[in-house]
Amino acid sequence: MRSDLMHETLLPKKLALPVFCSDPLSSNAYATEEILLMLSVGGLTLLYLTPWIAAAVVVLLAVVVASYRQTCHAYPNGGGAYAVSRANLGRNASLVAASALLVDYVLTVAVSVAAGVANIVSAVPELAPHAVGLAVGLVVLLAVMNLRGVRESGTVFAVPTYGFVACVFVMLGAGLLDLLLGDTPQAESAAFTVTPQHQVSGPLIVAVALRAFASGCTALTGVEAVSNGVPSFKPPKGRNAATTLAVMGGLTVAMFVGITAFALITGVHVAADPAQLVGAPPGYKQRTVIAEIAGAIFGYQSLGFFAILAFTAAILVLAANTAFNGFPILASILGEDGFLPRQFSRRGDRLVFSNGIVILALFAALLIWAFDASTTRLIQLYIIGVFVSFTLSQAGMVVHWTRLLADRQADHERPATMKQARAINAVGAVVTAVVLVIVLTTKFTHGAWIVVLAMPAVFWLVTAIRRHYDLVDAELRPGPAGVTLPSRIHAVVLVSKLHTPTLRALAFARATRPSTLVALTVRSSSMETAALEREWIERDIPVPLVTLDSPYRDVTRPALDYIREIRRQSPRDVVSVFVPEYVVGRWWEQLLHNQSALRFKARMLFQPGVMLTSVPWQLGSAEALETRRPVSR
Amino acid sequence: MRSDLMHETLLPKKLALPVFCSDPLSSNAYATEEILLMLSVGGLTLLYLTPWIAAAVVVLLAVVVASYRQTCHAYPNGGGAYAVSRANLGRNASLVAASALLVDYVLTVAVSVAAGVANIVSAVPELAPHAVGLAVGLVVLLAVMNLRGVRESGTVFAVPTYGFVACVFVMLGAGLLDLLLGDTPQAESAAFTVTPQHQVSGPLIVAVALRAFASGCTALTGVEAVSNGVPSFKPPKGRNAATTLAVMGGLTVAMFVGITAFALITGVHVAADPAQLVGAPPGYKQRTVIAEIAGAIFGYQSLGFFAILAFTAAILVLAANTAFNGFPILASILGEDGFLPRQFSRRGDRLVFSNGIVILALFAALLIWAFDASTTRLIQLYIIGVFVSFTLSQAGMVVHWTRLLADRQADHERPATMKQARAINAVGAVVTAVVLVIVLTTKFTHGAWIVVLAMPAVFWLVTAIRRHYDLVDAELRPGPAGVTLPSRIHAVVLVSKLHTPTLRALAFARATRPSTLVALTVRSSSMETAALEREWIERDIPVPLVTLDSPYRDVTRPALDYIREIRRQSPRDVVSVFVPEYVVGRWWEQLLHNQSALRFKARMLFQPGVMLTSVPWQLGSAEALETRRPVSR
C-alpha cells in the first residue's frame, strides 16, 4: 500500500462517537458488576452501599469528562497523555505517562476480551471450560486482522456501538415499563444468598466501600480516547470533539446508573468466590450482571437476552481493537523518539506497525492465560495505569494554561475562559490523584503490585534504550576531518572448493585491481586440499593460493589471524575479503547450505579495517524465486 | 579443543564391557516386566507361558550374540549396521539400516529414560505425578552434559554397570538362600489378583504368547554396540571384542533368567491397565517388576531395595547416554556422505556434534511427552528398528563371507572357519527376520505403525537431501572455459545518514577505483533528505548523491530497480554495492540496530552480477567483545 493512502477521511460526530467511544461505553458492561463483586465480600449486607458508590463514580466521571473537554479545545492536533505531559511536564513525566499507557493498552485488550468472553459464556454456558482458549483465540484473531491492515470503516464501529447503546436503553425502558405496571422483574440469582467471606463492620466497611469504588472507576477507562483523536474530527475539530465527549459522558452516566439501579431492583446476587453462593443448583455458573438483568427483564431464553449479550460481547471486542490501534501508534512515536527499538516506528507492507501489534497481542494473551481470563482479577491491575495517565495529563493541562496566561506577549482573547479551564483541569488533576491513591492502597495486594512493578520496569527500559541510541549517535558523529582514504587494498579470496562461485569471486576480485591478491584456503582434510592445489595448477589460475593449517577444524580463526597479520604489517591499508557464496531459493534449501559462510561473515564484521564482499552465485531455484517476486513498476 | 585430542585411549576388556554393554545389560531392567505385562491381558491364567517365552528369548539372544561375534572378527574397524550393509548390500539397504538406527537411537533414549524414571518412582512414589517432567528433565540434562563435551572415563561407566550387575546377582543369591532355607519371599503384589481384559483361549493364546515374546525381545536391544566399538578395543581388537560380547551375553542370560524366575517365585503380579488389579489398596501405584522382587527379597524399606533401584535407574540413564554418543556420530557420517545436512558433520567448539545432540534430545523428549513416559507404550515402537538393523547387518555378513570365499585369488587361510561363520550369520539373519515379522504383526496396531511410517519418512528425507546436494554440485561445476573477467565495475554506496560509517564506506569505495561511483539514498522524509543533501554539499564530498523516491517507504525496491537498470544498460559489467554498517557487541544491542541492512543484504544476494560489500564500523562495545575473545595462538 502506498504511504499517501494513509490519511483517513475526517469523521463527522455521529461516526466519531462509535470510533472513539467504544472503549469507554463498553466499560458499562462490567463496571456495575465489579462494584457488586467487591461488596459481596460482606455477603448481601453491604449492598446498601451500592447507590452511594455509583454516585461517587458518576461525579468522578463528570469531573474527568469536563477536564478532558478542555484538552480537546487546547490540543487540536491530539492531546494524548504522552504528548501533553511531554509538552508541559518534561521528559520524565511524559515517559511515566507512556509507561502507564503501554501497560494500559495491554490491559485494555486483556480486560475487554475477558469480559467479552464472559458474556459469550453467559449466553452459551457450555463454552465455560474453554473461556481461556476462546479469549486467547480472539486476541490472535484481532492481531491477525490488524496485521492484515483491515481498516474498519466508521460503519463497522457504528453497528456494535449504537447497537449496544440501543439494546441497553430498550432493556432499561422495558424494565421501567414492568415497574410501572407493578411487576418487578426478578433475576435468577435473586433466589440465592451470598455468605460473607469476612464479618465486615466498623472501619472495615469504609475499606470495602473504597475498594468497591476503586473497582467502579473502570467505568472511566477509555475516556481519553476522544482527546487523542481530535485530528480525525471534522472542523471545528476541538469543538466537535468536546461535544462528542459530552455526549459520550451523558450516555455512560445514563447507562451506568440504569444498569446499577436494575441490578439492585432485579436482585442480582453475585459472589467473588462461587463457593459463597448458597441455594444455587449444583454446577451453577455465575452469569455477568448485564446477563442477569437482561434475563430478568426479557427472560433467559428470549431473543432480547441473546441480543444484549451479543452486542455486549461485540462492543467489548471492538474496545479491545481500539488498543490495537493505539498501542502500535504510541510505540511508533516512542520508537521515533528513540525510546523503543526503531523497528516499532517502521510500517509493514500493509501500512501497519506490525511489531507493535505482535507485542501487544503477546502480552495480552499472556495476561489472559495467567489470570484464567477472569475479568475481576485483571481489573485489579487495570485502573492504576489509567489514573496515572489521567493525573499526569490533567496536571500537564494546568501547567499549559498557566504558561499561556503568563505569556504576556500573547494576545489573550479570553483570559477568563482560560482561567476557568485551568480551574477545571486543576480539579480534575486533584480528584484523579486522590482516586489514584485510593486505587493503589485498596488494590495493591490484589494484583496491582504487578503494575506497580511493571511501570517502572517499562520506564527503565525506555530510558535505557534512549541512552543507548544517544551513545551510538555520539560515537558515529564524524569529526571535522572526516575519514582518510586507505593507502592500499589487499584482497583475499576465501576458497573451499574450485567451483563456479569461487571462479567468479576470483574474477571479480581481480577486476577491482587490488594492490595484492591471494586466494586463501584452510586445510580441512589433507586429501581435499591436495586435490584443490592440483586443480589450481591444472586450471592455471593467475592468483597465488595460500593454504593455512587449522588444528581446530575451524576456518574462521586461521583466516582471521592471517588478515590481522596483514593489518599489523600495514595498519593504514585495508583488507578486502571476498566470500564466494551460492544462493538457493527455497527455505528448506537454506537449511542445507551456507551456515559456515554466515558464521564467517558475522565474525569478520568485528575486524577493524576489513571490507567484506559477498560474491553471490544464484542457483536455479534462487533465479526462479527472484522472477516470481513482484516488480514495483 | 584440538582435533588431535580426539583419539581416545584403547580400552581393556574390563572397561570396554561397561562402556559398550550398559545398553544391552540395562535391558534386563524391563524385559521380564514387558513379558508379564503382555500376558496380563489374560489375567493370571497365562503366567504359565512365562518360562517358555523366556527360553525362546534366551535362544534368540544366543543366536544374535554368536552372529555378532563373527562381525567383530570380520570388521576390526567397526561393523555397524550402516557400514556393513553399505559394504555388502548397496546404498539403499544401508540407508534403510541408517533410518532404522536413527529412529532407534531416539527410542533408546526415550525407553531407557522412561524406565529409569519408573524405577525412581518405584522408590519414591511421591514423584509419580511428575514422571513426565522428570524424564524430560533427564533428557535435557543428558543433552547439556553431552553438548558441554563431558567425556566419560571408563570409570564413570564402570560404577553403575558393575554395580547394577553385582546388585542383581546379590539379590538373586539372597533369594536362592531364602529358598534353600525353606522360606519363599513374597512380593507385595502377590496378594492382588488381575482380572483378564479378554477371555483368552484357543488360537488367541498363541497370539498373546507371540506378542509377549516380541516384547521380551527388548532384552536384545543394544547388542550391536560392541561390534560398532571394535576399534576402541586393545589388540587383538577382534578377539577381545568377541570375548567381551560373549561375556555380556552370558551375564544377560543369567540375569534375565534369574529375574524372570524370581518374578514367578515371588508372585509378582502386574497389569497393563491398573484397573485390572483387584485387591490393591486405593491409590496403589504399580512398581517395576525389579522393584517388586527386590522388595520381596530385601523388604520394601531396606537398604538393598533402594540400592537395586538406584543402580537400575543409573544404568538406564547411562544406556540413554550411549545413544547420545551413537546418534551424533551416525548423523555426522550421513552428513559427510551428503544424506543429512552438512552441519551434522561439523564438530562444535567442544569437539561434539552439537546438532545431532540437540535433534536427538528434541525427538526423545517429544516421544516421552507424547507417550506419558510409559515404558510399555514406548517399547511397542522400539523393537522393530532393532530387528531391521539386526537382519540387514547379518544378511550383509552372509554376503561378505560369500564374496570372500568366491574370491579365488585370495589366500584362504581357513575356508572352513569362514563357511562356519557364514552359517552362523545366515542363521542369525533368518532368525532375526522371522522375529521381525512376529514383532511387526503383533505390535503393528499397538504403536509400531508409527515406526513403520517414520522409517520410510527418514529414508525419503535422506535420499532427497542427497539428491539436492548432487544437483547443486552439478550446477556449481565450472565449465572448461571458466569465468570471464567483468569489463567494468559500477560502485554504488548506500547512504541513509552522513555518519562515520558512511564516510568510511565512501572512502573504501573510492579506494577500489571503480569505473563509476555514486552514493544512493532513498527519500524517507523530505526533511531528513534535505538535511542530508545540505550536509553533503557542506562537507564537499566528491561523490555524486542520487536521491530516489519511495512511495512505499521501502529502501530495498528503489535501490534494486536502480541497480537492475545499470545491469540492463551494460550486462557485462558488475555492480558493486557498498553497505555502511555499524557493529555492536552485545546481543541486546543487536535487537536495536541493523534490521534493515540485514534485509537489504539478503535481498541483494539474489541479484545476478552484483557484489555486496559490507563496510563495518566497530562501535566501542564491539571492540570490547573482540578483545575479550580468545586468540588462537
Side-chain angles (χ1 to χ4, degrees), chain B residues 461-515:
Chain B
L461 184 73
V462 295
T463 47
I465 288 173
R466 173 60 186 259
R467 208 177 312 124
H468 171 76
Y469 279 131
D470 287 347
L471 277 174
V472 168
D473 276 351
E475 263 198 86
L476 293 181
R477 207 167 295 136
V483 175
T484 50
L485 279 184
S487 8
R488 286 186 304 170
I489 294 188
H490 303 276
V492 174
V493 181
L494 206 73
V495 172
S496 64
K497 284 184 189 166
L498 204 55
H499 47 35
T500 318
T502 306
L503 292 177
R504 166 182 278 224
L506 286 166
F508 282 18
R510 284 170 60 202
T512 64
R513 279 164 296 152
S515 314

Side-chain angles (χ1 to χ4, degrees), chain B residues 139-405:
Chain B
V139 171
V140 172
L141 185 74
L142 284 172
V144 169
M145 275 174 48
N146 279 283
L147 283 174
R148 294 196 56 83
V150 177
R151 291 265 133 196
E152 311 77 3
S153 58
T155 334
V156 172
F157 278 91
V159 174
T161 307
Y162 284 123
F164 173 71
V165 172
C167 275
V168 168
F169 280 123
V170 166
M171 175 178 81
L172 298 176
L176 266 180
L177 198 67
D178 280 346
L179 290 180
L180 290 176
L181 297 173
D183 181 20
T184 311
Q186 285 291 299
E188 197 179 51
S189 59
F192 318 149
T193 173
V194 177
T195 54
Q197 280 185 323
H198 308 287
Q199 269 327 105
V200 180
S201 57
L204 254 183
I205 293 181
V206 180
V208 171
L210 284 177
R211 226 181 112 201
F213 167 71
S215 281
C217 290
T218 45
L220 277 78
T221 54
V223 166
E224 76 288 354
V226 173
S227 67
N228 286 332
V230 186
S232 302
F233 280 77
K234 278 202 169 159
K237 292 174 189 285
R239 211 173 68 199
N240 279 337
T243 310
T244 307
L245 196 51
V247 171
M248 184 278 287
L251 286 175
T252 303
V253 167
M255 288 161 73
F256 177 64
V257 168
I259 290 172
T260 309
F262 270 95
L264 296 176
I265 292 167
T266 60
V268 173
H269 293 163
V270 288
D273 178 358
Q276 290 177 263
L277 277 186
V278 178
Y284 174 77
K285 283 274 169 196
Q286 291 194 79
R287 292 198 181 87
T288 60
V289 166
I290 207 162
E292 285 286 287
I293 299 173
I297 292 175
F298 294 130
Y300 284 88
Q301 292 297 325
S302 66
L303 192 67
F305 175 73
F306 287 110
I308 282 276
L309 292 188
F311 276 112
T312 309
I315 198 177
L316 283 164
V317 172
L318 204 61
N321 190 56
T322 59
F324 274 98
N325 291 320
F327 182 95
I329 289 176
L330 179 59
S332 84
I333 295 173
L334 290 170
E336 264 169 38
D337 294 351
F339 291 111
L340 279 181
R342 295 255 157 77
Q343 296 94 287
F344 281 105
S345 65
R346 201 168 302 124
R347 287 178 188 267
D349 294 336
R350 291 170 181 272
L351 276 179
V352 296
F353 297 111
S354 320
N355 291 312
I357 293 171
V358 170
I359 293 276
L360 173 64
L362 219 65
F363 277 105
L366 196 72
L367 277 180
I368 288 173
W369 173 79
F371 286 90
D372 267 339
S374 155
T375 315
T376 309
R377 290 174 62 199
L378 285 166
I379 276 193
Q380 313 301 316
L381 280 65
Y382 193 12
I383 319 166
I384 292 184
V386 175
F387 278 86
V388 167
S389 65
F390 279 176
T391 308
L392 284 170
S393 175
Q394 302 314 321
M397 288 305 296
V398 173
V399 174
H400 169 80
W401 297 122
T402 309
R403 209 172 39 198
L404 273 193
L405 285 166

